[in-house]
Amino acid sequence: MSHYESPIRKPLVTGDKSYHDVTLDVVRPVEGKANKSWWVVFSIALIAFLWGLGCIVYTVSEGIGTWGLNKTIGWAWDITNFVWWVGIGHAGTLISAVLLLFRQKWRMAINRSAEAMTIFSVIQAGLFPIIHMGRPWLAYWVLPIPNQFGSLWVNFNSPLLWDVFAISTYLSVSLVFWWTGLLPDFAMIRDRAVKPFQKRIYGILSFGWSGRAKDWQRFEEVSLVLAGLATPLVLSVHTIVSFDFATSVIPGWHTTIFPPYFVAGAVFSGFAMVNTLLIIMRKVSNLENYITIQHIELMNIVIMITGSIVGVAYITELFMAWYSGVEYEQYAFLNRATGPYWWAYMLMMTCNVVSPQFMWFPKLRRSIMFSFFISIVVNIGMWFERFVIIVTSLHRDYMPSAWTMFSPTFVEIGIFVGTIGFFFVLFLLYARTFPVIAQAEVKSILKTSGEKYKKIRAEKGEDANLYDMPEQQPLPNFTEQFNSKSNS
Amino acid sequence: MASKVLHAIFTDDDILMHAVKALREKKYSIDEVFCPFPVHGLDKAMGLPGTRLAITSFLYGLVGLAVSTWMMNFIMIEDWPQDIGGKPSFSYLQNMPAFVPIMFEMTVFFAAHLMVITFYLRSKLWPFKKAENPDVRTTDDKFLMEVSVNENNVQAIAEVLYENGASEIKLIDNK
């Protein structure tokens, strides 16, 4: 039974869509052939990925001396990229989990892709600490297992180890959340598949999902509990990432505002990336009826709010630096704004604080092109935020004799571009093989939030029947059938 | 003699709900309903008992908390207490603030994964499992209700289903 929804709420599914139409629209990109633009974008992404892979192989074989790091700046692009990618991964779980707990129906058309984005971006993030180790073949040393030197263990007092646990928990929980949600949609493709190979593959992927009432009851419970578990996880992961910095004694890093500031920044950049991807995807996959202007507008509002929180955090940092009376802290912030990296600081401020403020204007936040532009600007700004925090704090610390500058080598640039390529390769493959919209969930809100049903209610009142009785065949004599079948 | 079931197809979730309620009112029990999406209130209307997966998740979380506590106590306090920056690890309690992030992460890790595994096992879902929905349209836009019948009540049940909007009704040998 459909719940009451205020008629002034805008429809979340436009067009006169029936349940079957949703199936057809979702399955079209999977069953159809890839178009030319998909191949063009995929080829570019693949080239970038292969280039990055080459740079990773070069780094691993030659050592991280191939990067532009020096004794003073030991963390530069790698950790910038790591924090940036983890941040991007936040919107996915936020959309799936937090908005599920808040019963926000608008999440349903975008949660699948946002979750996919989370997983793909956390994979990119995970690459950086591993290749930064210098000897990545010993990466298993971060696991709490006794090693060959005797009973030497990992150090649980280290925020870097907390990161290992936080990121791996986040990745694996996001993965099962995503996969469990996919089962009914894989089952839908399986049941429609005509080619035996396709039927077999989606049969395996769907785990034999049959859609029993009991399965759905458990499915909903699992989704809700996973959302409840993932919500604090969203907050914890970037909080712990911020501890990498906040528990140190570098001026500009050891500030108590870091955990909420990092979380807000992560949600901010994550939503920007969701907007970037979905604005393209709705067009390429003809999903304008599901990912509507309303969805984009709501995401823009989240971007505006989190962008403002990030702005407040920047100002708080400046205030605290001044108010602390610590000259090192004061210098660190003065140097950020007016030192040799002033341009990065200004870029960060402009992209992250100024640009989201345009979203106060309804006309701008409902404009597809403008939203797309701002989403790119925000992602650039957030990358520079991480760069500013890391490099400007390190390049002039307590010892002026150690002061230095950093500039990346082609290897670092290559790896970063490579991860962007890898991310898009994964996302493009996903968009061709997976149901990109959680169709089962969209069907469940169709009657409350679909345009077709909203129209019926507007015309015939809230109590109107939202269904047509089917044409029925005359009822056969089942008692006869029962007996004849039993005898046969 | 093999038992028999009626398979009734419905085209809409609201019609399905009316039929479920009508059958239950007449004290007929429904074996199974296959749906393409979660129909809210269907489990209650069918009289399905509530699921206890949330409780198992809580218990698994406690297991995770216990495992992380034991692990860190063993590693950092008992087996190889490290003296880091002149701050040796003497007792778990003193070190606990540093252990909180891992205690939290492992609680969530255990609660989430073991609950999902339990869900898969209880619902009999695994990679090579064959789907059991009798009609492929039930993952698209149709709803299928399965009701056990005998010679005496088959026509009566079929009539209730028919009156409540079933678009197709079939009598099937129950395997």
Side-chain angles (χ1 to χ4, degrees):
Chain A
M1 296 287 145
S2 51
H3 296 281
Y4 172 78
E5 184 176 286
S6 167
I8 58 165
R9 281 190 182 267
K10 286 181 193 155
L12 294 173
V13 181
T14 55
D16 287 347
K17 300 288 178 190
S18 65
Y19 295 139
H20 186 59
D21 295 333
V22 178
T23 303
L24 293 180
D25 291 338
V26 171
V27 91
R28 193 180 304 118
V30 180
E31 289 179 345
K33 282 208 166 102
N35 57 20
K36 206 174 159 190
S37 56
W38 186 89
W39 280 109
V40 171
V41 180
F42 183 74
S43 308
I44 296 168
L46 194 65
I47 291 166
F49 167 50
L50 292 175
W51 184 33
L53 198 65
C55 290
I56 290 174
V57 171
Y58 183 56
T59 303
V60 172
S61 54
E62 293 292 314
I64 50 171
T66 53
W67 295 357
L69 301 174
N70 50 51
K71 277 186 182 171
T72 307
I73 304 169
W75 282 5
W77 274 44
D78 49 342
I79 304 301
T80 300
N81 298 339
F82 162 71
V83 183
W84 187 69
W85 276 120
V86 176
I88 285 173
H90 272 62
T93 312
L94 194 94
I95 289 172
S96 334
V98 181
L99 298 185
L100 175 70
L101 290 184
F102 289 145
R103 302 275 184 239
Q104 293 296 304
K105 289 179 193 157
W106 62 275
R107 64 178 271 286
M108 291 193 180
I110 54 174
N111 66 340
R112 175 68 43 74
S113 298
E115 286 164 28
M117 184 197 76
T118 292
I119 288 150
F120 302 150
S121 58
V122 174
I123 290 171
Q124 311 310 323
L127 282 173
F128 286 100
I130 292 173
I131 53 178
H132 187 210
M133 283 175 179
R135 288 187 288 169
W137 51 92
L138 299 179
Y140 66 93
W141 282 12
V142 301
L143 303 174
I145 44 173
N147 66 23
Q148 60 268 53
F149 302 127
S151 42
L152 183 63
W153 296 93
V154 287
N155 176 13
F156 284 107
N157 290 311
S158 164
L160 297 176
L161 188 66
W162 304 346
D163 247 2
V164 172
F165 278 78
I167 303 288
S168 46
T169 304
Y170 187 56
L171 178 64
S172 66
V173 171
S174 302
L175 198 65
V176 294
F177 198 10
W178 185 53
W179 200 269
T180 307
L182 273 161
L183 296 183
D185 299 1
F186 279 142
M188 179 267 285
I189 302 180
R190 171 200 70 205
D191 286 347
R192 283 178 53 86
V194 188
K195 296 174 200 154
F197 177 72
Q198 207 181 28
K199 205 169 186 68
R200 175 104 184 113
I201 292 293
Y202 287 103
I204 295 169
L205 294 179
S206 66
F207 287 19
W209 175 268
S210 305
R212 288 188 186 87
K214 187 73 190 173
D215 294 352
W216 279 118
Q217 185 201 41
R218 292 193 183 119
F219 178 89
E220 294 227 285
E221 181 96 341
V222 163
S223 306
L224 199 65
V225 175
L226 276 181
L229 290 167
T231 300
L233 208 56
V234 173
L235 304 179
S236 86
V237 174
H238 233 57
T239 298
I240 291 175
V241 169
S242 84
F243 286 166
D244 291 347
F245 305 99
T247 57
S248 74
V249 289
I250 302 291
W253 281 6
H254 61 291
T255 49
T256 46
I257 201 175
F258 260 28
Y261 156 37
F262 267 51
V263 172
V267 176
F268 180 51
S269 62
F271 266 84
M273 189 61 106
V274 175
N275 242 355
T276 312
L277 292 175
L278 292 188
I279 287 173
I280 300 172
M281 203 178 75
R282 71 193 285 275
K283 186 83 192 155
V284 175
S285 303
N286 296 319
L287 295 169
E288 283 100 335
N289 283 317
Y290 302 92
I291 303 160
T292 61
I293 305 282
Q294 164 80 347
H295 287 92
I296 292 167
E297 184 179 358
L298 288 165
M299 286 195 280
N300 280 332
I301 291 172
V302 176
I303 289 174
M304 179 180 80
I305 293 167
T306 46
S308 305
I309 296 173
V310 167
V312 170
Y314 292 161
I315 296 161
T316 310
E317 266 194 331
L318 292 177
F319 172 78
M320 290 312 292
W322 166 73
Y323 193 64
S324 69
V326 179
E327 56 183 316
Y328 304 104
E329 197 72 20
Q330 288 170 343
Y331 177 75
F333 282 89
L334 198 67
N335 179 53
R336 272 188 194 178
T338 60
Y341 287 111
W342 67 270
W343 52 273
Y345 189 79
M346 290 317 292
L347 210 58
M348 166 189 107
M349 278 290 187
T350 319
C351 295
N352 294 349
V353 185
V354 180
S355 75
Q357 301 309 320
F358 288 108
M359 296 303 181
W360 287 99
F361 302 103
K363 210 168 188 176
L364 291 177
R365 67 173 183 249
R366 284 177 201 149
S367 153
I368 301 280
M369 283 317 288
F370 189 76
S371 304
F372 187 71
F373 170 71
I374 290 290
S375 72
I376 305 273
V377 166
V378 167
N379 271 316
I380 294 170
M382 283 308 293
W383 189 89
F384 273 100
E385 182 202 290
R386 279 63 153 115
F387 178 82
V388 164
I389 290 172
I390 292 161
V391 173
T392 65
S393 298
L394 282 175
H395 91 127
R396 287 186 179 175
D397 65 0
Y398 295 103
M399 247 187 350
S401 62
W403 285 6
T404 181
M405 295 291 286
F406 166 81
S407 56
T409 63
F410 80 94
V411 185
E412 281 159 306
I413 299 170
I415 294 174
F416 178 48
V417 173
T419 54
I420 295 175
F422 190 16
F423 175 78
F424 277 97
V425 163
L426 291 172
F427 197 85
L428 287 163
L429 288 175
Y430 148 81
R432 293 279 307 123
T433 48
F434 278 34
V436 292
I437 282 185
Q439 52 91 24
E441 291 184 64
V442 169
K443 283 174 188 171
S444 74
I445 60 158
L446 201 60
K447 280 197 175 166
T448 49
S449 309
E451 193 177 17
K452 177 182 171 184
Y453 296 96
K454 275 184 171 288
K455 261 191 227 159
I456 296 175
R457 277 202 300 269
E459 283 164 15
K460 299 182 183 167
E462 280 301 323
D463 300 326
N465 261 352
L466 296 175
Y467 54 85
D468 299 315
M469 283 306 257
E471 277 182 34
Q472 287 171 308
Q473 303 294 325
L475 194 66
N477 187 339
F478 282 105
T479 316
E480 221 168 66
Q481 269 190 33
F482 193 96
N483 291 326
S484 66
K485 280 201 176 180
S486 299
N487 297 336
S488 59
Chain B
M1 191 179 79
S3 62
K4 290 184 190 298
V5 288
L6 278 178
H7 279 179
I9 296 272
F10 294 88
T11 52
D12 190 278
D13 45 333
D14 286 341
I15 306 177
L16 169 80
M17 283 293 277
H18 288 307
V20 167
K21 284 176 185 164
L23 270 182
R24 294 270 299 162
E25 260 174 36
K26 293 196 187 304
K27 309 284 181 211
Y28 295 121
S29 68
I30 299 161
D31 291 356
E32 203 61 80
V33 176
F34 296 90
C35 311
F37 58 85
V39 178
H40 290 277
L42 178 64
D43 50 347
K44 284 206 175 68
M46 283 174 70
L48 291 177
T51 169
R52 287 165 294 180
L53 275 169
I55 300 167
T56 67
S57 177
F58 177 74
L59 298 176
Y60 293 143
L62 292 182
V63 172
L65 185 65
V67 168
S68 67
T69 308
W70 171 81
M71 179 185 76
M72 287 190 287
N73 185 57
F74 176 73
I75 292 175
M76 294 293 289
I77 313 294
E78 284 177 14
D79 191 53
W80 193 263
Q82 294 178 48
D83 185 344
I84 299 150
K87 289 178 277 184
S89 311
F90 283 133
S91 77
Y92 192 85
L93 207 60
Q94 280 178 332
N95 282 264
M96 210 197 58
F99 295 159
V100 167
I102 309 239
M103 286 158 76
F104 169 78
E105 296 296 337
M106 285 189 69
T107 305
V108 170
F109 186 88
F110 273 65
H113 290 289
L114 293 178
M115 175 186 63
V116 170
I117 291 169
T118 310
F119 162 60
Y120 286 167
L121 294 178
R122 290 289 289 142
S123 298
K124 298 189 175 63
L125 299 168
W126 47 80
F128 292 93
K129 174 78 193 289
K130 217 171 155 352
E132 288 166 354
N133 47 335
D135 193 312
V136 291
R137 293 172 297 171
T138 57
T139 51
D140 178 0
D141 63 342
K142 299 284 188 285
F143 304 78
L144 189 146
M145 193 196 291
E146 194 176 281
V147 189
S148 288
V149 288
N150 58 42
E151 192 185 347
N152 302 323
N153 65 17
V154 60
Q155 196 64 25
I157 292 177
E159 269 166 24
V160 178
L161 292 168
Y162 185 78
E163 280 159 17
N164 284 284
S167 62
E168 297 166 30
I169 305 174
K170 276 185 206 155
L171 186 66
I172 309 276
D173 278 328
N174 200 10
K175 282 166 205 161

